[in-house]
Amino acid sequence: MLRVDQAGEYGATRIYAGQLAVLGDRHPIARSIAAMAAQEERHRERFDRLMAERRVRPTALTPLWDVAGFGLGVATALLGPEAAMACTAAIETEIDNHYGKQLVQLGASDTELSETIAEFREEEVEHRDTALAAGAEQAPAYPLLSAAIRLGCRMAIGLSQRI
Ligand SMILES: [Fe+2]
Ligand SMILES: [Fe+2]
């Protein structure tokens, strides 16, 4: 669980880095992206610490998530601010499901981890709602874009659990 969660939070920081590389810091939406990115950074740091404490090895796919995340961020931001927000809405929808499943699986077996996941899950849901409020659904080809990103996200989760 820690391996895949750390990979996801790392990927999230790379997506936002890619989006900010395109949108710069003057675009009005950049402020909200930067605020979400700061939370992802905190999520990643916490999972980094838990992995070190529990001697969990990180996914071998980190270099792939570096490039794929940044690339997804750049590509969606180039499509426009609404597409950048559609990316966040799609990813966070999957992450909400993913963290929800983990919480069920954990039950009361590991309160340190489940409290962490529950706390982060709330923030991911806020990111999703921020993205929807910022016009995610007005992105070009929204249903297709959203479905493709959600599928990619589920594939990344599956791979990071195994490799
Ligand atoms: Fe996060
Ligand atoms: Fe998030």
Side-chain angles (χ1 to χ4, degrees), residues 67-141:
V67 175
F70 194 83
L72 179 62
V74 166
T76 50
L78 285 174
L79 285 173
E82 289 84 9
M85 288 293 144
C87 177
T88 293
I91 299 266
E92 303 295 21
T93 299
E94 291 301 328
I95 298 308
D96 177 34
N97 290 341
H98 167 72
Y99 281 159
K101 280 187 215 157
Q102 284 190 334
L103 288 173
V104 170
Q105 236 181 304
L106 282 168
S109 66
D110 185 337
T111 47
E112 186 188 30
L113 185 55
S114 50
E115 278 168 14
T116 299
I117 291 172
E119 177 193 330
F120 294 175
R121 184 189 188 195
E122 266 181 48
E123 293 179 347
E124 312 302 7
V125 168
E126 281 172 22
H127 296 171
R128 182 198 64 201
D129 294 344
T130 299
L132 290 171
E137 289 155 309
Q138 272 80 60

Side-chain angles (χ1 to χ4, degrees), residues 8-9 12 36 39-41 43-44 47 92 95 99 120 123-124 127:
E9 299 295 351
M36 295 193 283
Q39 286 186 315
E40 306 299 2
E41 200 62 54
H43 298 172
R44 185 191 55 75
F47 284 131
E92 303 295 21
I95 298 308
Y99 281 159
F120 294 175
E123 293 179 347
E124 312 302 7
H127 296 171

